[in-house]
């Protein structure tokens, strides 16, 4: 067994109790310190898949592993410590009266003493940029702040992997950028593994190493970002598209009969490519 | 994950309905009130016992597994257990056992035990009966039955809204409970108790105001 794979789903199928077939023969793996994005239209099965990695749902068929261990009762406590899960709606994740109490919930349950809990809380709040908000009442926070508080609560348990269900939904552009930068930073500095479901295609190349595309409960495609986003027709079938900047350059390349260049995925890449093209023209 | 079953049976109980589902709701409602009245007012333990057994058998017959029945009845079972434990010490009568604890002497009586058993069975039978009625009757039928007995529309709408809120509450509550579980909130009995109290508080806050 290769332990550099942290999260893995093998031949996973799942039906909800009302017989909705939500996942069908899904194979997914996420390596340690890797950032993986899951794309898919509404109802494709992203949330359902993510919930399997922390045992919130149990496979109808197949099996799910965390660090090589199957998700079964004796391992659950260990798994809860290793894998943090951030729900889409922070209102369903925050339950203590104040921010600090909520963030301290996990560390407290880990059996740490009061000083240790306080340290963890301070550290986690600092990471998400809420260091002055510890005493604030949760229901006085804005949506974006709630989202950060929810993430801090999970980070305070020092997990190896973070699973986030549409983390940028409902955030303003700057808030979304900052959140993704934060996650990227944690990945770089602490080797945090990230599994993120999202509809925000244009931001995916900024943080993701690999992408899985879901369609009606199945994996329609997967691979590195460039590969997946080169499959325009398939993406269209899945009600998705490549990043807008790469679509633009695809059109331009077609007009100018350019074939030997990679399509840019981010603004930064596009800028460099443009500079290159212009200097070639001169 | 149990709330799925609960919710499905509550909202879409047209499916998988056997004989109970096809009886006219008005008849069912009348029968329910009558049996509740009989159970609760009975001085003999046999009456609520018979109803309790009947209602629990119906739950199995409706397709619930042993575990599901256990989960659905866990609250009334706990209450019943508590009552049986406490009641014997609250009545005078023939002494069953007595023991000193700290400064006090506790005396359990036969009359007390009987009274405890009676209350416990009443609690169980009433909960199981109501559970049966709600789960084998889609809410819209219940509403139309209430309409039929000429309840004013305002009250009807209120009840409909309560139904709606009940599900939102269940849904939110179970997601929060999942979030707590993932942060080890139920990894021991004591932590579980603390988490449950927090859960109730937050639900009260979000829906109370
Ligand atoms: N509790 C449930 N009971 C029955 N079916 C469900 C339940 N939750 C989700 N489903 C169904 O499972 C399928 C996958 O849903 P899921 O929530 O995983 O999709 P998603 O990719 O996360 O969508 P979105 O982008 O809208 O969040 C959908 O068809 C949905 O209707
Ligand atoms: Mg979802």
């Amino acid at each position: 067994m290769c332990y550099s794979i942290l999260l893995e789903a093998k031949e996973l199928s799942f039906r909800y109790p009302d017989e909705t077939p939500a996942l069908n023969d899904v194979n997914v793996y996420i390596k340690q310190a890797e950032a993986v994005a899951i794309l898919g239209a509404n109802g494709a099965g992203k949330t359902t898949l993510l919930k399997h990695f922390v045992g919130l749902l149990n496979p109808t068929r197949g099996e799910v592993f965390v660090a090589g261990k199957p998700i079964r009762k004796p391992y659950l406590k260990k798994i809860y410590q290793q894998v943090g899960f951030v729900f889409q709606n922070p209102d369903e994740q925050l339950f203590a009266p104040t921010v600090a109490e909520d963030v301290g919930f996990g560390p407290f349950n880990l059996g740490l003493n009061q000083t240790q809990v306080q340290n963890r809380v301070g550290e986690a709040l600092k990471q998400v940029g809420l260091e002055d908000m510890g005493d604030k009442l949760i229901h006085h926070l804005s949506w974006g702040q709630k989202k950060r508080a929810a993430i801090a609560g999970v980070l305070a348990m020092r997990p190896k992997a973070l699973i986030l269900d549409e983390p940028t939904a409902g955030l303003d552009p700057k808030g979304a950028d900052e959140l993704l930068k934060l996650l990227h930073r944690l990945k770089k500095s602490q080797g945090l593994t990230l599994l993120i479901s999202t509809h925000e295609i244009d931001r995916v190349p900024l943080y993701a190493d690999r992408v899985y595309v879901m369609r009606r409960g199945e994996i329609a495609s997967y691979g590195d970002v460039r590969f997946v986003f080169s499959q325009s027709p398939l993406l269209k079938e899945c009600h998705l598209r490549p990043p807008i900047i790469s679509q633009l350059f695809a059109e331009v390349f077609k007009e100018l009969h350019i074939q030997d260049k990679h399509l840019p995925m981010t603004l930064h890449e596009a800028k460099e490519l443009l500079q290159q093209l212009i200097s070639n023209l001169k | 994950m149990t709330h799925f079953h609960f919710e499905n049976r509550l909202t879409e109980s047209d499916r998988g309905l056997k004989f109970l589902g096809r009886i006219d709701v008005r008849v069912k409602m009348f029968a329910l009130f009558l049996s509740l009245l009989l159970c609760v007012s009975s001085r003999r333990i046999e009456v609520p016992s018979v109803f309790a057994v009947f209602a629990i058998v119906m739950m199995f017959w409706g397709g619930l597994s042993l575990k599901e029945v256990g989960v659905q009845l866990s609250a009334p079972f706990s209450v019943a257990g508590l009552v049986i434990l406490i009641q014997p010490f609250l009545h005078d009568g023939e002494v069953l056992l007595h023991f000193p604890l700290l400064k006090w002497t506790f005396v359990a009586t036969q009359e007390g035990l009987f009274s405890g058993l009676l209350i416990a069975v009443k609690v169980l039978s009433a909960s199981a009966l109501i559970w049966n009625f709600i789960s084998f009757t889609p809410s819209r039928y219940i509403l139309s039955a209430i309409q039929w007995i000429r309840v004013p529309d305002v009250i009807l709408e209120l009840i409909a809204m309560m139904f709606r809120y009940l599900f939102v509450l269940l849904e939110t509550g179970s997601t929060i409970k999942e979030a707590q579980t993932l942060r080890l909130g139920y990894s021991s009995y004591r932590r579980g108790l603390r988490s449950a109290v927090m859960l109730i508080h937050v639900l009260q806050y979000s829906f109370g105001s």
Side-chain angles (χ1 to χ4, degrees):
Chain A
M1 174 89 20
C2 172
Y3 283 99
S4 78
I5 290 182
L6 188 56
L7 304 172
E8 186 170 25
K10 278 186 179 164
E11 296 171 10
L12 169 63
S13 297
F14 179 76
R15 272 172 190 276
Y16 278 101
D18 69 354
E19 295 294 311
T20 310
L23 296 176
N24 186 17
D25 200 17
V26 167
N27 289 288
V28 168
Y29 67 89
I30 292 100
K31 286 184 281 193
Q32 213 141 15
E34 195 181 28
V36 171
I38 298 192
L39 301 179
N42 291 129
K46 303 181 294 297
T47 302
T48 308
L49 174 61
L50 295 187
K51 284 186 168 178
H52 275 86
F53 285 111
V54 281
L56 286 180
L57 297 173
N58 297 313
T60 310
R61 239 189 38 236
E63 191 132 50
V64 181
F65 301 87
V66 172
K69 292 259 189 298
I71 300 202
R72 302 231 185 89
K73 199 120 196 203
Y75 308 118
L76 274 183
K77 199 175 161 191
K78 187 93 200 290
I79 286 169
Y80 294 158
Q81 288 177 47
Q82 291 181 325
V83 187
F85 192 99
V86 181
F87 288 79
Q88 183 175 348
N89 180 356
D91 282 327
E92 291 179 341
Q93 176 149 15
L94 303 167
F95 40 82
T98 69
V99 175
E101 275 176 87
D102 199 278
V103 176
F105 183 81
F108 175 86
N109 289 332
L110 284 172
L112 302 180
N113 68 35
Q114 201 163 359
T115 332
Q116 289 169 318
V117 171
Q118 274 172 358
N119 289 344
R120 289 270 187 118
V121 170
E123 180 190 294
L125 286 179
K126 189 151 179 262
Q127 281 175 328
V128 299
L130 289 182
E131 49 269 68
D132 307 324
M133 300 258 182
D135 295 327
K136 255 200 124 143
L137 291 175
I138 295 269
H139 58 269
H140 287 169
L141 298 182
S142 77
W143 179 263
Q145 289 166 337
K146 279 185 189 168
K147 209 108 184 182
R148 282 155 182 268
I151 293 174
V154 175
L155 284 177
M157 297 183 73
R158 301 218 179 122
K160 283 188 183 167
L162 211 54
I163 296 178
L164 302 109
D165 196 4
E166 299 188 29
T168 50
L171 296 185
D172 62 38
K174 181 150 178 280
D177 281 340
E178 280 175 2
L179 179 60
L180 292 173
K181 270 191 199 133
L182 160 74
L183 295 174
H184 195 68
R185 214 167 46 234
L186 290 170
K187 177 191 167 224
K188 287 278 177 241
S189 63
Q190 307 178 4
L192 190 70
T193 308
L194 296 171
L195 178 57
I196 298 176
S197 87
T198 183
H199 292 290
E200 287 200 273
I201 289 167
D202 296 319
R203 286 197 167 89
V204 169
L206 292 172
Y207 61 85
D209 301 308
R210 282 191 307 126
V211 178
Y212 282 88
V213 176
M214 294 193 71
R215 174 180 49 191
R216 276 179 259 113
E218 295 182 359
I219 302 293
S221 170
Y222 72 99
D224 68 35
V225 176
R226 199 170 287 284
F227 170 73
V228 168
F229 284 144
S230 68
Q231 301 170 298
S232 284
L234 179 126
L235 290 173
K236 202 166 173 187
E237 272 173 44
C238 301
H239 301 248
L240 300 168
R241 58 165 174 77
I244 204 90
I245 198 82
S246 97
Q247 279 182 305
L248 171 68
F249 273 79
E251 297 279 322
V252 174
F253 283 6
K254 210 161 105 191
E255 287 288 321
L256 303 179
H257 305 289
I258 298 175
Q259 276 163 355
D260 57 341
K261 292 258 186 281
H262 274 315
L263 285 171
M265 291 288 141
T266 62
L267 271 182
H268 183 71
E269 286 176 18
K271 197 176 115 196
E272 287 188 343
L273 185 66
L274 270 181
Q275 280 170 343
Q276 209 186 350
L277 288 175
I278 290 169
S279 64
N280 283 356
L281 281 177
K282 280 180 188 163
Chain B
M1 261 155 276
T2 36
H3 77 281
F4 290 139
H5 301 265
F6 186 47
E7 189 179 329
N8 289 340
R9 286 202 165 73
L10 276 171
T11 50
E12 293 166 40
S13 10
D14 314 51
R15 272 186 304 112
L17 281 191
K18 294 180 180 164
F19 135 90
L20 259 195
R22 276 185 246 119
I23 305 177
D24 190 297
V25 190
R26 289 163 291 188
V27 177
K28 271 199 285 192
M29 210 152 65
F30 183 71
L32 175 74
F33 281 128
L34 200 68
S35 14
L36 281 180
L37 207 69
L38 273 175
C39 282
V40 174
S41 64
S42 170
R43 312 239 81 229
R44 299 168 56 97
I45 200 163
E46 290 88 345
V47 181
S49 303
V50 167
F51 276 104
V53 170
F54 165 76
I56 292 174
V57 167
M58 289 307 292
M59 286 169 84
F60 284 115
W61 196 45
L64 291 197
S65 69
L66 185 61
K67 191 175 158 210
E68 287 171 313
V69 173
V71 169
Q72 304 298 356
L73 290 183
S74 59
F77 262 122
S78 326
V79 173
L82 221 65
V83 170
I84 294 177
L85 276 181
I86 295 171
Q87 277 289 322
F89 300 99
L90 301 180
H91 288 256
D92 293 330
E94 197 173 324
V95 177
L96 274 180
L97 82 163
H98 63 105
F99 56 90
L101 189 71
L102 300 175
K103 288 185 294 190
W104 303 282
T105 305
F106 287 82
V107 183
T109 63
Q110 201 161 6
E111 280 76 3
L113 181 65
F114 178 78
S115 142
L117 281 173
L118 183 63
I119 298 176
V121 176
K122 283 180 181 181
V123 169
L124 263 183
S125 60
S127 322
L129 279 170
I130 294 175
W131 194 94
N132 267 292
F133 176 68
I134 298 181
S135 25
F136 294 125
T137 318
S139 58
R140 57 175 184 282
Y141 293 149
I142 300 183
L143 288 175
S144 65
I146 298 173
Q147 202 164 25
W148 180 79
I149 51 174
R150 292 181 202 283
V151 170
D153 279 354
V154 186
I155 294 182
L156 202 71
E157 257 164 52
L158 256 173
I159 294 175
M161 224 157 79
M162 277 162 56
F163 262 110
R164 176 82 201 100
Y165 260 98
L166 184 69
F167 291 121
V168 178
L169 197 72
L170 277 176
E171 185 65 36
T172 314
S174 62
T175 316
I176 295 178
K177 184 153 180 261
E178 287 177 347
Q180 291 180 319
T181 309
L182 294 183
R183 285 154 75 193
L184 297 171
Y186 294 90
S187 55
S188 76
Y189 182 72
R190 212 162 45 96
R191 286 175 198 145
L193 210 62
R194 180 171 172 265
S195 306
V197 170
M198 287 171 103
L199 174 64
I200 292 167
H201 264 274
V202 70
L203 286 179
Q204 263 178 354
Y205 184 83
S206 15
F207 291 90
S209 50

